[in-house]
Amino acid sequence: MASYFLRRLLMAIPVMFFVALFVFLLLRLTPGDPAQAIAGDQATPAQLAAIRENLGLDKPLTSQFVAWIGAMAGGDFGHSLISQRPVLEMIGQRIGPTLALAVMAMIFTVVISLPLGVLAAWRHGGLVDRFVMALSVVGFSVPIFVIGYVLIAVFAVDLKWFPVQGYKPLSEGFGPFLHRILLPGLALSSFYIALVSRMTRASMLEVLREDYVRTARAKGLGERVVLFRHALRNAAIPILTVVGTGFAMMISGVVVTETVFNIPGLGRLVVDGVLARDYPLIQAIILLTAGTYVLINLLIDLSYALSDPRIRYQ
């Protein structure tokens, strides 16, 4: 397995290179000028030219790309064009709230969707199945920002159980942290609860028709043991794939949730960077997000062997 892990890591290098090339060209070839964003609307052409020269934006694209790749190979992701601060430092200050939000949403997703999917498959065609399917349709159909505002109106404004907006880091205490992360975590997880519960239901329906499940029931095992120990474990591979991919999507797709709940995470930093045409900041965030996707996909592949001992990596 170690050689497989190393081989997959080496395969990630060309993937990350092409991601870097694509992001670099996409930012440079789309309309917009960072010098204009820095200098303002009243800047003269001479002032704009001086800013471009100072930032290195007047050089050929090939020279800019080679300089950027070379600096990243040495661990330097560059400085923000706007604040002049190292972009890794800016990302480090914002990644905590985003990770906390994604982890909380994933906890909600796993805790709620797996039992719902198993119950829907177990009671296939019944009221429970129809309720779970209707719930998943709502989760797919209603945008996250609508669910977020509904949660705020009910639990923060009317019942006053939670604050309307804001974020407290874990370092200020687990209670205040949990008090402010629950509602945004629940809002963000709504789509993934619908997705994973439908996937769990579909996988379980297929597994429950297998002979070994019938044999387990014939041996007199209880339904809970049959469902969660025998059937769910054999249906785990597609579920693990969706859960892992969903976690990566949460990290890169929390912009709306962070905006609704006023959480100072990576999503808002990306929006600020795009509006200001802050090339180094946007490039670094997209590259780190792509690296997260690659790492999570690798971990998903390795986790298959835990659910199915027949899988071997060479």
Side-chain angles (χ1 to χ4, degrees):
M1 184 177 289
S3 62
Y4 175 81
F5 183 79
L6 183 61
R7 198 162 60 246
R8 286 289 301 270
L9 284 182
L10 292 177
M11 289 171 60
I13 294 176
V15 173
M16 296 302 297
F17 175 80
F18 282 110
V19 170
L21 179 62
F22 176 76
V23 172
F24 180 86
L25 292 177
L26 182 67
L27 290 175
R28 297 310 194 277
L29 298 180
T30 51
D33 186 357
Q36 189 74 59
I38 295 172
D41 295 334
Q42 305 301 322
T44 63
Q47 290 173 322
L48 294 176
I51 293 175
R52 292 191 192 102
E53 182 180 1
N54 184 43
L55 298 176
L57 299 176
D58 60 332
K59 297 178 181 176
L61 290 182
T62 307
S63 300
Q64 293 183 44
F65 182 72
V66 170
W68 177 52
I69 290 292
M72 279 200 307
D76 182 10
F77 281 69
H79 289 67
S80 166
L81 297 182
I82 308 303
S83 66
Q84 296 300 315
R85 295 170 55 201
V87 294
L88 283 184
E89 179 184 316
M90 298 173 67
I91 293 172
Q93 291 176 345
R94 296 294 193 95
I95 199 169
T98 298
L99 278 179
L101 179 57
V103 170
M104 181 56 63
M106 187 50 65
I107 291 173
F108 275 125
T109 299
V110 173
V111 169
I112 296 175
S113 63
L114 289 185
L116 285 180
V118 172
L119 283 175
W122 184 42
R123 297 300 185 189
H124 176 55
L127 287 177
V128 175
D129 187 20
R130 293 175 184 173
F131 171 75
V132 173
M133 289 302 96
L135 199 64
S136 67
V137 170
V138 173
F140 280 127
S141 306
V142 182
I144 289 177
F145 74 90
V146 174
I147 294 178
Y149 283 125
V150 169
L151 291 175
I152 289 174
V154 175
F155 294 103
V157 177
D158 292 342
L159 298 177
K160 302 188 186 305
W161 290 354
F162 298 96
V164 175
Q165 290 181 326
Y167 172 78
K168 291 285 186 184
L170 192 57
S171 58
E172 295 187 17
F174 184 71
F177 165 76
L178 195 63
H179 195 213
R180 292 181 179 270
I181 204 69
L182 278 177
L183 282 189
L186 187 58
L188 180 60
S189 66
S190 58
F191 174 83
Y192 301 98
I193 289 173
L195 178 65
V196 176
S197 61
R198 288 186 74 94
M199 178 58 70
T200 304
R201 174 184 177 273
S203 300
M204 287 291 293
L205 281 176
E206 187 174 341
V207 169
L208 288 175
R209 300 189 186 100
E210 298 290 338
D211 291 339
Y212 58 84
V213 173
R214 193 177 303 113
T215 303
R217 284 173 171 156
K219 288 167 62 179
L221 297 178
E223 278 300 300
R224 183 180 302 174
V225 175
V226 172
L227 289 174
F228 289 96
R229 183 178 297 175
H230 294 277
L232 183 58
R233 183 172 181 180
N234 286 281
I237 288 181
I239 300 172
L240 284 173
T241 304
V242 173
V243 169
T245 308
F247 183 72
M249 291 171 62
M250 283 180 185
I251 294 177
S252 59
V254 297
V255 177
V256 174
T257 308
E258 288 180 355
T259 303
V260 170
F261 290 92
N262 194 26
I263 296 175
L266 275 183
R268 291 180 58 188
L269 188 64
V270 171
V271 173
D272 295 340
V274 170
L275 293 176
R277 294 281 168 186
D278 198 340
Y279 292 158
L281 179 61
I282 302 170
Q283 291 167 173
I285 292 176
I286 294 178
L287 272 184
L288 291 176
T289 303
T292 303
Y293 267 97
V294 171
L295 180 61
I296 289 178
N297 279 324
L298 177 56
L299 294 177
I300 292 171
D301 288 346
L302 296 178
S303 69
Y304 290 161
L306 298 178
S307 61
D308 190 345
R310 295 171 297 180
I311 295 177
R312 293 287 184 272
Y313 296 106
Q314 296 178 352

